[in-house]
Amino acid sequence: SQQGEEDPQALSIQEGENATMNCSYKTSINNLQWYRQNSGRGLVHLILIRSNEREKHSGRLRVTLDTSKKSSSLLITASRAADTASYFCATDPFETSGSRLTFGEGTQLTVNP
Amino acid sequence: DTGVSQNPRHKITKRGQNVTFRCDPISEHNRLYWYRQTLGQGPEFLTYFQNEAQLEKSRLLSDRFSAERPKGSFSTLEIQRTEQGDSAMYLCASRGRRKYEQYFGPGTRLTVT
């Protein structure tokens, strides 16, 4: 079963707007990662945040992590049509770090030009 | 291209037939993972290798599934006596030493008729 749950399941915005996606999880983690998947393709790693970090930036991406609430958010600023994709959070569990990633069900982001 | 490659990209087979997929990871990566993804869902972990050793298998991996990674390089995933429920995208990923992010291949889409 999937540990992570993304919210919302689908998000449609206009180009230039910001997009925020949320992820909740259940167990202790070593780190949390966000991936992007274009339709019918493999996943691309976007950003990783460790359990002792609260916020991380990479280009137009900002990730936050609240381990007390077991939640994370991904913010994409100044969105572009090319950002249209599914976005997944994935947790790397503390006890078995490195053995597997547990993915959520994803948020389908549509950026309209 | 030095990314993860998977072959074939698409496979259509009849129920009851055996199929085998191949994954070539990034050459210096010692860890290799197999995931399965169905439409509208996030990837689900199947199994992973560290070098040639298969260290973990999911409960999803029934006895009809077998994976190998001879010599710690490429890996194969075989499904025997395929069932319609096996229809999915099979994703391979690899990971380097002292890194947590995984690099995914484009996937093999299996359709069982």
Side-chain angles (χ1 to χ4, degrees):
Chain A
S1 63
Q2 297 285 344
Q3 174 179 225
E5 295 180 1
E6 279 93 340
D7 166 46
Q9 288 188 325
L11 180 62
S12 181
I13 60 174
Q14 296 299 123
E15 212 165 23
E17 294 181 340
N18 296 341
T20 299
M21 289 159 268
N22 302 298
C23 166
S24 61
Y25 59 91
K26 296 175 183 172
T27 64
S28 297
I29 61 170
N30 176 285
N31 63 77
L32 185 145
Q33 304 175 34
W34 285 89
Y35 288 80
R36 183 187 73 215
Q37 184 178 37
N38 290 87
S39 181
R41 307 294 297 275
L43 283 78
V44 175
H45 180 265
L46 294 176
I47 193 166
L48 178 152
I49 186 164
R50 298 176 189 272
S51 59
N52 61 353
E53 297 176 314
R54 292 296 166 257
E55 187 171 315
K56 201 162 183 181
H57 297 255
S58 177
R60 295 185 295 113
L61 305 179
R62 172 178 169 253
V63 172
T64 62
L65 179 65
D66 186 335
T67 52
S68 67
K69 295 181 179 178
K70 291 186 166 59
S71 67
S72 173
S73 67
L74 172 68
L75 168 68
I76 304 174
T77 60
S79 63
R80 306 166 181 168
D83 295 329
T84 294
S86 291
Y87 291 81
F88 296 91
C89 69
T91 52
D92 185 357
F94 179 79
E95 291 81 11
T96 57
S97 180
S99 68
R100 64 166 67 189
L101 291 176
T102 300
F103 286 84
E105 294 184 353
T107 292
Q108 172 62 51
L109 173 67
T110 302
V111 181
N112 302 298
Chain B
D1 188 345
T2 57
V4 178
S5 62
Q6 292 187 247
N7 288 289
R9 294 290 307 277
H10 303 273
K11 180 71 177 179
I12 300 174
T13 191
K14 293 185 177 179
R15 188 178 55 185
Q17 297 294 306
N18 299 344
V19 294
T20 300
F21 310 140
R22 176 177 170 128
C23 171
D24 287 88
I26 294 171
S27 59
E28 62 269 27
H29 286 185
N30 64 331
R31 297 193 186 210
L32 186 149
Y33 304 80
W34 285 98
Y35 294 87
R36 182 172 69 186
Q37 185 179 28
T38 53
L39 198 62
Q41 301 294 314
E44 293 180 297
F45 170 80
L46 291 178
T47 188
Y48 101 99
F49 294 83
Q50 181 168 315
N51 301 312
E52 66 275 8
Q54 187 175 18
L55 296 186
E56 187 175 353
K57 294 193 291 186
S58 164
R59 291 189 305 273
L60 293 174
L61 214 66
S62 75
D63 56 6
R64 296 185 299 106
F65 288 69
S66 63
E68 294 182 341
R69 193 184 182 197
K71 303 178 184 177
S73 56
F74 71 92
S75 175
T76 58
L77 177 68
E78 181 184 16
I79 309 174
Q80 296 182 328
R81 305 181 302 281
T82 52
E83 302 172 355
Q84 287 189 318
D86 297 331
S87 294
M89 175 79 88
Y90 289 83
L91 295 163
C92 175
S94 67
R95 198 194 102 180
R97 300 174 198 274
R98 294 182 292 280
K99 297 284 187 181
Y100 290 107
E101 58 269 28
Q102 296 184 14
Y103 293 82
F104 282 79
T108 294
R109 182 168 297 283
L110 173 66
T111 302
V112 181
T113 61

PDB file of all heavy atoms in Angstrom, chain A residues 56-81:
ATOM      1  N   LYS A  56      14.085  23.615   1.588  1.00  0.00           N
ATOM      2  CA  LYS A  56      15.148  23.515   0.614  1.00  0.00           C
ATOM      3  C   LYS A  56      14.677  24.140  -0.693  1.00  0.00           C
ATOM      4  O   LYS A  56      13.502  24.057  -1.049  1.00  0.00           O
ATOM      5  CB  LYS A  56      15.519  22.049   0.395  1.00  0.00           C
ATOM      6  CG  LYS A  56      16.890  21.848  -0.193  1.00  0.00           C
ATOM      7  CD  LYS A  56      17.344  20.419   0.041  1.00  0.00           C
ATOM      8  CE  LYS A  56      18.732  20.229  -0.487  1.00  0.00           C
ATOM      9  NZ  LYS A  56      19.194  18.836  -0.307  1.00  0.00           N
ATOM     10  N   HIS A  57      15.625  24.763  -1.389  1.00  0.00           N
ATOM     11  CA  HIS A  57      15.299  25.418  -2.651  1.00  0.00           C
ATOM     12  C   HIS A  57      16.166  24.844  -3.759  1.00  0.00           C
ATOM     13  O   HIS A  57      17.316  24.474  -3.546  1.00  0.00           O
ATOM     14  CB  HIS A  57      15.574  26.925  -2.546  1.00  0.00           C
ATOM     15  CG  HIS A  57      14.735  27.634  -1.545  1.00  0.00           C
ATOM     16  ND1 HIS A  57      13.681  28.452  -1.884  1.00  0.00           N
ATOM     17  CD2 HIS A  57      14.784  27.633  -0.194  1.00  0.00           C
ATOM     18  CE1 HIS A  57      13.128  28.935  -0.781  1.00  0.00           C
ATOM     19  NE2 HIS A  57      13.771  28.458   0.256  1.00  0.00           N
ATOM     20  N   SER A  58      15.564  24.808  -4.956  1.00  0.00           N
ATOM     21  CA  SER A  58      16.325  24.448  -6.142  1.00  0.00           C
ATOM     22  C   SER A  58      15.659  25.116  -7.327  1.00  0.00           C
ATOM     23  O   SER A  58      14.591  24.697  -7.771  1.00  0.00           O
ATOM     24  CB  SER A  58      16.361  22.930  -6.335  1.00  0.00           C
ATOM     25  OG  SER A  58      17.042  22.590  -7.534  1.00  0.00           O
ATOM     26  N   GLY A  59      16.284  26.187  -7.817  1.00  0.00           N
ATOM     27  CA  GLY A  59      15.689  26.917  -8.927  1.00  0.00           C
ATOM     28  C   GLY A  59      14.308  27.436  -8.565  1.00  0.00           C
ATOM     29  O   GLY A  59      14.133  28.141  -7.569  1.00  0.00           O
ATOM     30  N   ARG A  60      13.293  27.047  -9.332  1.00  0.00           N
ATOM     31  CA  ARG A  60      11.919  27.485  -9.063  1.00  0.00           C
ATOM     32  C   ARG A  60      11.191  26.577  -8.070  1.00  0.00           C
ATOM     33  O   ARG A  60      10.001  26.743  -7.838  1.00  0.00           O
ATOM     34  CB  ARG A  60      11.135  27.536 -10.372  1.00  0.00           C
ATOM     35  CG  ARG A  60      11.647  28.591 -11.363  1.00  0.00           C
ATOM     36  CD  ARG A  60      10.762  28.683 -12.614  1.00  0.00           C
ATOM     37  NE  ARG A  60      10.799  27.452 -13.398  1.00  0.00           N
ATOM     38  CZ  ARG A  60       9.756  26.643 -13.556  1.00  0.00           C
ATOM     39  NH1 ARG A  60       8.582  26.918 -12.982  1.00  0.00           N
ATOM     40  NH2 ARG A  60       9.869  25.560 -14.288  1.00  0.00           N
ATOM     41  N   LEU A  61      11.893  25.627  -7.516  1.00  0.00           N
ATOM     42  CA  LEU A  61      11.283  24.683  -6.580  1.00  0.00           C
ATOM     43  C   LEU A  61      11.616  25.044  -5.144  1.00  0.00           C
ATOM     44  O   LEU A  61      12.744  25.421  -4.831  1.00  0.00           O
ATOM     45  CB  LEU A  61      11.786  23.259  -6.853  1.00  0.00           C
ATOM     46  CG  LEU A  61      11.614  22.701  -8.256  1.00  0.00           C
ATOM     47  CD1 LEU A  61      12.191  21.291  -8.318  1.00  0.00           C
ATOM     48  CD2 LEU A  61      10.161  22.699  -8.664  1.00  0.00           C
ATOM     49  N   ARG A  62      10.605  24.904  -4.284  1.00  0.00           N
ATOM     50  CA  ARG A  62      10.817  25.081  -2.848  1.00  0.00           C
ATOM     51  C   ARG A  62      10.097  23.929  -2.161  1.00  0.00           C
ATOM     52  O   ARG A  62       8.905  23.714  -2.380  1.00  0.00           O
ATOM     53  CB  ARG A  62      10.272  26.413  -2.373  1.00  0.00           C
ATOM     54  CG  ARG A  62      10.281  26.587  -0.860  1.00  0.00           C
ATOM     55  CD  ARG A  62       9.754  27.970  -0.468  1.00  0.00           C
ATOM     56  NE  ARG A  62       9.514  28.049   0.970  1.00  0.00           N
ATOM     57  CZ  ARG A  62       8.297  28.065   1.526  1.00  0.00           C
ATOM     58  NH1 ARG A  62       7.216  28.011   0.781  1.00  0.00           N
ATOM     59  NH2 ARG A  62       8.166  28.155   2.833  1.00  0.00           N
ATOM     60  N   VAL A  63      10.818  23.220  -1.332  1.00  0.00           N
ATOM     61  CA  VAL A  63      10.241  22.097  -0.590  1.00  0.00           C
ATOM     62  C   VAL A  63      10.328  22.395   0.894  1.00  0.00           C
ATOM     63  O   VAL A  63      11.343  22.901   1.373  1.00  0.00           O
ATOM     64  CB  VAL A  63      11.006  20.784  -0.889  1.00  0.00           C
ATOM     65  CG1 VAL A  63      10.537  19.676   0.034  1.00  0.00           C
ATOM     66  CG2 VAL A  63      10.812  20.375  -2.324  1.00  0.00           C
ATOM     67  N   THR A  64       9.258  22.078   1.598  1.00  0.00           N
ATOM     68  CA  THR A  64       9.271  22.171   3.053  1.00  0.00           C
ATOM     69  C   THR A  64       8.965  20.797   3.640  1.00  0.00           C
ATOM     70  O   THR A  64       8.336  19.957   2.997  1.00  0.00           O
ATOM     71  CB  THR A  64       8.238  23.180   3.562  1.00  0.00           C
ATOM     72  OG1 THR A  64       6.930  22.732   3.186  1.00  0.00           O
ATOM     73  CG2 THR A  64       8.504  24.567   3.001  1.00  0.00           C
ATOM     74  N   LEU A  65       9.440  20.584   4.843  1.00  0.00           N
ATOM     75  CA  LEU A  65       9.215  19.320   5.536  1.00  0.00           C
ATOM     76  C   LEU A  65       8.883  19.603   6.991  1.00  0.00           C
ATOM     77  O   LEU A  65       9.611  20.342   7.661  1.00  0.00           O
ATOM     78  CB  LEU A  65      10.456  18.436   5.439  1.00  0.00           C
ATOM     79  CG  LEU A  65      10.385  17.070   6.138  1.00  0.00           C
ATOM     80  CD1 LEU A  65       9.337  16.182   5.489  1.00  0.00           C
ATOM     81  CD2 LEU A  65      11.753  16.392   6.135  1.00  0.00           C
ATOM     82  N   ASP A  66       7.804  19.029   7.456  1.00  0.00           N
ATOM     83  CA  ASP A  66       7.407  19.132   8.863  1.00  0.00           C
ATOM     84  C   ASP A  66       7.307  17.715   9.397  1.00  0.00           C
ATOM     85  O   ASP A  66       6.300  17.033   9.185  1.00  0.00           O
ATOM     86  CB  ASP A  66       6.069  19.866   8.985  1.00  0.00           C
ATOM     87  CG  ASP A  66       5.684  20.137  10.423  1.00  0.00           C
ATOM     88  OD1 ASP A  66       6.143  19.397  11.327  1.00  0.00           O
ATOM     89  OD2 ASP A  66       4.911  21.087  10.673  1.00  0.00           O
ATOM     90  N   THR A  67       8.358  17.256  10.070  1.00  0.00           N
ATOM     91  CA  THR A  67       8.370  15.872  10.537  1.00  0.00           C
ATOM     92  C   THR A  67       7.397  15.654  11.693  1.00  0.00           C
ATOM     93  O   THR A  67       6.935  14.528  11.906  1.00  0.00           O
ATOM     94  CB  THR A  67       9.778  15.451  10.965  1.00  0.00           C
ATOM     95  OG1 THR A  67      10.288  16.402  11.898  1.00  0.00           O
ATOM     96  CG2 THR A  67      10.709  15.354   9.765  1.00  0.00           C
ATOM     97  N   SER A  68       7.054  16.712  12.410  1.00  0.00           N
ATOM     98  CA  SER A  68       6.088  16.545  13.512  1.00  0.00           C
ATOM     99  C   SER A  68       4.694  16.271  12.969  1.00  0.00           C
ATOM    100  O   SER A  68       3.916  15.541  13.581  1.00  0.00           O
ATOM    101  CB  SER A  68       6.074  17.792  14.397  1.00  0.00           C
ATOM    102  OG  SER A  68       5.558  18.910  13.696  1.00  0.00           O
ATOM    103  N   LYS A  69       4.396  16.832  11.804  1.00  0.00           N
ATOM    104  CA  LYS A  69       3.103  16.591  11.159  1.00  0.00           C
ATOM    105  C   LYS A  69       3.204  15.535  10.078  1.00  0.00           C
ATOM    106  O   LYS A  69       2.195  15.202   9.447  1.00  0.00           O
ATOM    107  CB  LYS A  69       2.573  17.900  10.556  1.00  0.00           C
ATOM    108  CG  LYS A  69       2.244  18.977  11.573  1.00  0.00           C
ATOM    109  CD  LYS A  69       1.706  20.223  10.902  1.00  0.00           C
ATOM    110  CE  LYS A  69       1.367  21.292  11.938  1.00  0.00           C
ATOM    111  NZ  LYS A  69       0.876  22.543  11.311  1.00  0.00           N
ATOM    112  N   LYS A  70       4.414  15.037   9.844  1.00  0.00           N
ATOM    113  CA  LYS A  70       4.638  14.046   8.783  1.00  0.00           C
ATOM    114  C   LYS A  70       4.050  14.554   7.466  1.00  0.00           C
ATOM    115  O   LYS A  70       3.218  13.885   6.837  1.00  0.00           O
ATOM    116  CB  LYS A  70       4.065  12.682   9.150  1.00  0.00           C
ATOM    117  CG  LYS A  70       4.825  11.995  10.291  1.00  0.00           C
ATOM    118  CD  LYS A  70       4.312  10.586  10.537  1.00  0.00           C
ATOM    119  CE  LYS A  70       5.254   9.786  11.416  1.00  0.00           C
ATOM    120  NZ  LYS A  70       5.489  10.377  12.731  1.00  0.00           N
ATOM    121  N   SER A  71       4.507  15.721   7.080  1.00  0.00           N
ATOM    122  CA  SER A  71       3.995  16.302   5.836  1.00  0.00           C
ATOM    123  C   SER A  71       5.078  17.105   5.145  1.00  0.00           C
ATOM    124  O   SER A  71       6.035  17.572   5.775  1.00  0.00           O
ATOM    125  CB  SER A  71       2.776  17.182   6.116  1.00  0.00           C
ATOM    126  OG  SER A  71       3.156  18.314   6.862  1.00  0.00           O
ATOM    127  N   SER A  72       4.893  17.258   3.846  1.00  0.00           N
ATOM    128  CA  SER A  72       5.824  18.024   3.020  1.00  0.00           C
ATOM    129  C   SER A  72       5.019  18.766   1.967  1.00  0.00           C
ATOM    130  O   SER A  72       3.903  18.356   1.616  1.00  0.00           O
ATOM    131  CB  SER A  72       6.828  17.086   2.340  1.00  0.00           C
ATOM    132  OG  SER A  72       7.645  17.781   1.413  1.00  0.00           O
ATOM    133  N   SER A  73       5.588  19.857   1.488  1.00  0.00           N
ATOM    134  CA  SER A  73       4.948  20.555   0.386  1.00  0.00           C
ATOM    135  C   SER A  73       5.984  20.909  -0.669  1.00  0.00           C
ATOM    136  O   SER A  73       7.154  21.130  -0.356  1.00  0.00           O
ATOM    137  CB  SER A  73       4.247  21.832   0.872  1.00  0.00           C
ATOM    138  OG  SER A  73       5.210  22.775   1.313  1.00  0.00           O
ATOM    139  N   LEU A  74       5.527  20.912  -1.905  1.00  0.00           N
ATOM    140  CA  LEU A  74       6.359  21.309  -3.046  1.00  0.00           C
ATOM    141  C   LEU A  74       5.716  22.523  -3.682  1.00  0.00           C
ATOM    142  O   LEU A  74       4.545  22.484  -4.058  1.00  0.00           O
ATOM    143  CB  LEU A  74       6.458  20.174  -4.065  1.00  0.00           C
ATOM    144  CG  LEU A  74       7.144  20.522  -5.395  1.00  0.00           C
ATOM    145  CD1 LEU A  74       8.629  20.790  -5.182  1.00  0.00           C
ATOM    146  CD2 LEU A  74       6.957  19.402  -6.417  1.00  0.00           C
ATOM    147  N   LEU A  75       6.480  23.591  -3.778  1.00  0.00           N
ATOM    148  CA  LEU A  75       6.015  24.818  -4.424  1.00  0.00           C
ATOM    149  C   LEU A  75       6.801  25.015  -5.707  1.00  0.00           C
ATOM    150  O   LEU A  75       8.031  24.981  -5.696  1.00  0.00           O
ATOM    151  CB  LEU A  75       6.215  26.017  -3.501  1.00  0.00           C
ATOM    152  CG  LEU A  75       6.038  27.412  -4.126  1.00  0.00           C
ATOM    153  CD1 LEU A  75       4.583  27.641  -4.511  1.00  0.00           C
ATOM    154  CD2 LEU A  75       6.512  28.495  -3.169  1.00  0.00           C
ATOM    155  N   ILE A  76       6.086  25.177  -6.805  1.00  0.00           N
ATOM    156  CA  ILE A  76       6.707  25.533  -8.078  1.00  0.00           C
ATOM    157  C   ILE A  76       6.310  26.968  -8.375  1.00  0.00           C
ATOM    158  O   ILE A  76       5.109  27.267  -8.509  1.00  0.00           O
ATOM    159  CB  ILE A  76       6.249  24.618  -9.226  1.00  0.00           C
ATOM    160  CG1 ILE A  76       6.517  23.147  -8.890  1.00  0.00           C
ATOM    161  CG2 ILE A  76       6.944  24.994 -10.533  1.00  0.00           C
ATOM    162  CD1 ILE A  76       5.949  22.164  -9.910  1.00  0.00           C
ATOM    163  N   THR A  77       7.271  27.846  -8.451  1.00  0.00           N
ATOM    164  CA  THR A  77       6.959  29.254  -8.704  1.00  0.00           C
ATOM    165  C   THR A  77       7.004  29.554 -10.200  1.00  0.00           C
ATOM    166  O   THR A  77       7.691  28.873 -10.968  1.00  0.00           O
ATOM    167  CB  THR A  77       7.948  30.181  -7.977  1.00  0.00           C
ATOM    168  OG1 THR A  77       9.268  29.899  -8.448  1.00  0.00           O
ATOM    169  CG2 THR A  77       7.891  29.949  -6.474  1.00  0.00           C
ATOM    170  N   ALA A  78       6.256  30.577 -10.585  1.00  0.00           N
ATOM    171  CA  ALA A  78       6.254  31.053 -11.978  1.00  0.00           C
ATOM    172  C   ALA A  78       6.137  29.883 -12.951  1.00  0.00           C
ATOM    173  O   ALA A  78       7.015  29.655 -13.789  1.00  0.00           O
ATOM    174  CB  ALA A  78       7.512  31.871 -12.257  1.00  0.00           C
ATOM    175  N   SER A  79       5.064  29.132 -12.826  1.00  0.00           N
ATOM    176  CA  SER A  79       4.920  27.891 -13.587  1.00  0.00           C
ATOM    177  C   SER A  79       4.918  28.132 -15.100  1.00  0.00           C
ATOM    178  O   SER A  79       4.562  29.218 -15.582  1.00  0.00           O
ATOM    179  CB  SER A  79       3.640  27.172 -13.175  1.00  0.00           C
ATOM    180  OG  SER A  79       2.520  27.973 -13.501  1.00  0.00           O
ATOM    181  N   ARG A  80       5.333  27.092 -15.807  1.00  0.00           N
ATOM    182  CA  ARG A  80       5.389  27.121 -17.271  1.00  0.00           C
ATOM    183  C   ARG A  80       4.590  25.941 -17.809  1.00  0.00           C
ATOM    184  O   ARG A  80       4.396  24.949 -17.114  1.00  0.00           O
ATOM    185  CB  ARG A  80       6.839  26.995 -17.731  1.00  0.00           C
ATOM    186  CG  ARG A  80       7.781  28.021 -17.130  1.00  0.00           C
ATOM    187  CD  ARG A  80       9.214  27.639 -17.346  1.00  0.00           C
ATOM    188  NE  ARG A  80      10.133  28.608 -16.746  1.00  0.00           N
ATOM    189  CZ  ARG A  80      11.432  28.391 -16.585  1.00  0.00           C
ATOM    190  NH1 ARG A  80      11.979  27.254 -17.001  1.00  0.00           N
ATOM    191  NH2 ARG A  80      12.192  29.325 -16.024  1.00  0.00           N
ATOM    192  N   ALA A  81       4.184  26.035 -19.063  1.00  0.00           N
ATOM    193  CA  ALA A  81       3.435  24.931 -19.670  1.00  0.00           C
ATOM    194  C   ALA A  81       4.237  23.629 -19.602  1.00  0.00           C
ATOM    195  O   ALA A  81       3.672  22.545 -19.442  1.00  0.00           O
ATOM    196  CB  ALA A  81       3.078  25.272 -21.117  1.00  0.00           C
TER     197      ALA A  81
END
